[in-house]
Amino acid sequence: MSQSPLNRAQVEQLVRQSLSRFVGQGSSQQKQGPNPLVVNISARHCHLSQESVEVLFGKGHKLTPMKDLYMDGQYAAQESVTMIGPRSRVISNLRILGPCRDFDQVELAYTDAVSLGFKIPIRNSGDIAGTPGCMLMGPAGFLEMKEGVIRAAPHVHMAPEDAEYYGVENKSFMKLRVGGELGVTFDRIFVRVDPSFKLEVHIDTDEGNACGFTQDTPCELIK
């Protein structure tokens, strides 16, 4: 017995079912990166040399780890300092991150700089030539920094296998698409590649607040 022809509604239903199966297969087979992407907000902090630590906390003083950070070997120290900016405005309890480096650097958000009363450039970590300085105060003394106060550029740390997966090189740029209610895309995420790195994006507190970022916000790196 011959079957009666399908009406328009039945045809559309069959097409939708077919497309649904196709899309489902595609998403289940989507290639995943070698390492999970982590996005963290980096609050204001400073990096110090061992010599500067001793100026602020006393001869022979060593930083005391308080909390491990996501990146292996990095930690927030128990020690903090007071930062004195222009016109004697201060930020108290500026956390020191360890281990010690071979240079001194303070990383602030834009609103931190406004509250201190001066303008700071956006720079990559370590690129401090020509940047403003400040005074740091610790329990044992004062440290005058001639330069080194920056607003850290948004950046991503990644291992070589991550760089290969995303098709990027050290010191190149990527985009970070942040989901959620606002849906913001950062267009210039600086890429730092090293075998010791985990896949981690750093944005500052102003940037995190502006895009409504939380630990549940979906994020995606884009070349």
Side-chain angles (χ1 to χ4, degrees), residues 4-219:
S4 51
L6 298 174
N7 60 37
R8 181 182 181 87
Q10 290 172 316
V11 171
E12 290 177 347
Q13 182 180 10
L14 288 172
V15 171
R16 284 194 297 269
Q17 290 173 347
S18 179
L19 287 174
S20 178
R21 287 195 298 270
F22 177 78
V23 172
Q25 290 170 358
S27 61
S28 65
Q29 296 173 359
Q30 184 178 4
K31 184 180 178 182
Q32 300 297 315
N35 296 301
L37 172 63
V38 172
V39 178
N40 279 321
I41 291 178
S42 181
R44 63 191 182 215
H45 61 272
C46 66
H47 302 279
L48 298 174
S49 66
Q50 177 58 36
E51 180 182 4
S52 296
V53 168
E54 295 188 24
V55 170
L56 292 164
F57 295 92
K59 187 69 174 177
H61 186 90
K62 302 290 185 181
L63 293 178
T64 306
M66 178 181 67
K67 180 182 178 181
D68 289 334
L69 303 181
Y70 182 69
M71 202 67 63
D72 291 338
Q74 306 294 309
Y75 59 86
Q78 290 185 7
E79 292 83 357
S80 63
V81 293
T82 296
M83 176 182 176
I84 305 171
R87 298 188 292 278
S88 298
R89 297 179 182 178
V90 302
I91 289 181
S92 302
N93 299 318
L94 182 66
R95 187 65 53 192
I96 303 172
L97 300 189
C100 287
R101 299 188 177 182
D102 56 2
F103 60 91
D104 300 322
Q105 178 175 284
V106 174
E107 298 181 29
L108 303 176
Y110 174 77
T111 49
D112 294 325
V114 170
S115 67
L116 286 169
F118 67 164
K119 184 177 181 180
I120 56 176
I122 299 175
R123 294 285 185 90
N124 294 310
S125 182
D127 181 13
I128 59 175
T131 58
C134 69
M135 183 78 73
L136 298 182
M137 181 177 67
F142 291 85
L143 174 69
E144 183 178 0
M145 291 176 52
K146 299 295 186 182
E147 60 185 8
V149 183
I150 66 170
R151 178 181 174 188
H155 57 279
V156 57
H157 301 266
M158 61 174 62
E161 60 265 28
D162 298 309
E164 182 179 2
Y165 171 77
Y166 287 105
V168 295
E169 298 178 348
N170 188 43
K171 298 183 179 180
S172 59
F173 289 91
M174 301 187 71
K175 296 183 179 182
L176 177 70
R177 180 180 294 158
V178 181
E181 295 182 353
L182 295 178
V184 173
T185 298
F186 292 91
D187 286 335
R188 290 179 59 83
I189 301 293
F190 186 71
V191 176
R192 301 179 61 188
V193 181
D194 189 273
S196 66
F197 287 163
K198 294 181 179 179
L199 184 58
E200 181 185 23
V201 172
H202 283 163
I203 57 178
D204 69 23
T205 49
D206 285 355
E207 293 155 354
N209 290 335
C211 66
F213 176 80
T214 71
Q215 290 300 317
D216 297 324
T217 304
C219 296

